[in-house]
Amino acid sequence: MREFKPRKLFKPRDFISPQIMSCQYLEIGAGKGMHAMQFAQANPQKHLIAVERTRNKFEVFAERATALELENLTPVHADAIPYVVHAFPPNSLNGVFLLYPNPEPKSTAQRWLNMPFFEFLLSRMKDGAEVVLASNIESYIDEAEQQTKELWQLPVERKIIPRNSSRTHFEVKYLERGELCQELVMTKPRGYQTRFDD
Ligand SMILES: C[S@@+](CC[C@H](N)C(=O)[O-])C[C@H]1O[C@@H](n2cnc3c(N)ncnc32)[C@H](O)[C@@H]1O
């Protein structure tokens, strides 16, 4: 796998450095923000930074989030890769959500677990922090589970998402169609090292 080169990435347009909180979570590809808003409401002691790249989805999310006046939720319109590079110091995230990422069927190297960026993301997580990855595509979960174990060498739990779960718009849609949705919960073990730790 080629090396990730964070220094080559410019700050996203209109970048604002987030205030670093003691209990901070990141969601990548938040869509219209359904999970982000539910999470922030249910966890007032946790701060969630939820990043969405597509403008029209982000605008719906931002409008809804503003109406809810949730102080512990920061919606961000950006590509998560340069955003993460510029926003977070090492060992600063308590958890990461990747819920129903685009499956990238024509370019599987663009899947999160196949990208060199994933090592950088791990460096930004605290020891014991979890990445939650959900998908309705069994082969995607199979591949991600294998990468988690073999390439990233992380402990991982694989779960079936209950039929009545409704965390995101895509989750609701897939479960209504009767599709099997699964998630991986990967943990960054204590003492885990990356090339981006300082
Ligand atoms: C299939 S949708 C799922 C949206 C939401 N998580 C859900 O489950 O309803 C994937 C989302 O990830 C966003 N996305 C993909 N790559 C991204 C990136 N590099 N940075 C931020 N958002 C990204 C897309 O714009 C899209 O809205």
Side-chain angles (χ1 to χ4, degrees), residues 100-180:
Y100 304 91
N102 294 331
E104 312 287 359
K106 294 198 183 117
S107 174
T108 56
Q110 302 293 319
R111 295 177 177 177
W112 293 105
L113 274 284
N114 298 348
M115 279 198 274
F117 166 74
F118 196 73
E119 180 181 354
F120 189 89
L121 182 63
L122 288 170
S123 76
R124 270 44 207 161
M125 291 163 53
K126 298 178 185 175
D127 288 356
E130 292 176 344
V131 181
V132 178
L133 169 75
S135 179
N136 63 322
I137 301 169
E138 186 147 35
S139 58
Y140 188 109
I141 292 285
D142 289 344
E143 180 191 87
E145 185 179 22
Q146 191 179 350
Q147 289 287 77
T148 306
K149 290 177 178 164
E150 291 175 13
L151 176 59
W152 305 112
Q153 311 230 320
L154 302 172
V156 58
E157 216 186 320
R158 181 169 176 156
K159 301 177 186 171
I160 290 178
I161 295 168
R163 295 248 158 240
N164 62 355
S165 184
S166 58
R167 287 177 300 183
T168 78
H169 287 102
F170 279 76
E171 185 165 87
V172 170
K173 179 172 81 177
Y174 297 139
L175 290 173
E176 270 176 10
R177 283 188 202 158
E179 293 182 23
L180 175 70

Side-chain angles (χ1 to χ4, degrees), residues 5-198:
K5 300 210 168 99
R7 290 209 179 90
K8 296 213 161 163
L9 294 178
F10 293 111
K11 281 185 183 163
R13 189 191 298 228
D14 303 326
F15 175 79
I16 301 171
S17 195
Q19 213 185 327
I20 299 304
M21 308 280 182
S22 58
C23 193
Q24 178 167 257
Y25 289 74
L26 169 70
E27 182 168 348
I28 295 180
K32 295 177 185 169
M34 184 170 170
H35 169 265
M37 291 181 281
Q38 284 176 13
F39 179 90
Q41 282 176 316
N43 299 281
Q45 307 307 325
K46 299 178 180 174
H47 193 97
L48 178 64
I49 295 165
V51 186
E52 173 50 52
R53 184 174 65 180
T54 304
R55 178 174 293 279
N56 59 2
K57 290 188 190 183
F58 173 76
E59 283 172 356
V60 175
F61 174 21
E63 198 178 311
R64 290 178 181 163
T66 304
L68 290 175
E69 297 183 354
L70 293 164
E71 286 183 1
N72 61 332
L73 174 61
T74 305
V76 174
H77 180 219
D79 182 328
I81 296 178
Y83 181 80
V84 168
V85 165
H86 291 281
F88 302 113
N91 293 308
S92 58
L93 293 171
N94 291 67
V96 177
F97 296 101
L98 290 166
L99 303 177
Y100 304 91
N102 294 331
E104 312 287 359
K106 294 198 183 117
S107 174
T108 56
Q110 302 293 319
R111 295 177 177 177
W112 293 105
L113 274 284
N114 298 348
M115 279 198 274
F117 166 74
F118 196 73
E119 180 181 354
F120 189 89
L121 182 63
L122 288 170
S123 76
R124 270 44 207 161
M125 291 163 53
K126 298 178 185 175
D127 288 356
E130 292 176 344
V131 181
V132 178
L133 169 75
S135 179
N136 63 322
I137 301 169
E138 186 147 35
S139 58
Y140 188 109
I141 292 285
D142 289 344
E143 180 191 87
E145 185 179 22
Q146 191 179 350
Q147 289 287 77
T148 306
K149 290 177 178 164
E150 291 175 13
L151 176 59
W152 305 112
Q153 311 230 320
L154 302 172
V156 58
E157 216 186 320
R158 181 169 176 156
K159 301 177 186 171
I160 290 178
I161 295 168
R163 295 248 158 240
N164 62 355
S165 184
S166 58
R167 287 177 300 183
T168 78
H169 287 102
F170 279 76
E171 185 165 87
V172 170
K173 179 172 81 177
Y174 297 139
L175 290 173
E176 270 176 10
R177 283 188 202 158
E179 293 182 23
L180 175 70
C181 293
Q182 298 181 76
E183 72 180 21
L184 300 177
V185 181
M186 310 153 211
T187 307
K188 180 180 176 179
R190 183 193 284 263
Y192 189 88
Q193 291 185 336
T194 78
R195 286 170 284 185
F196 306 106
D197 293 339
D198 343 284

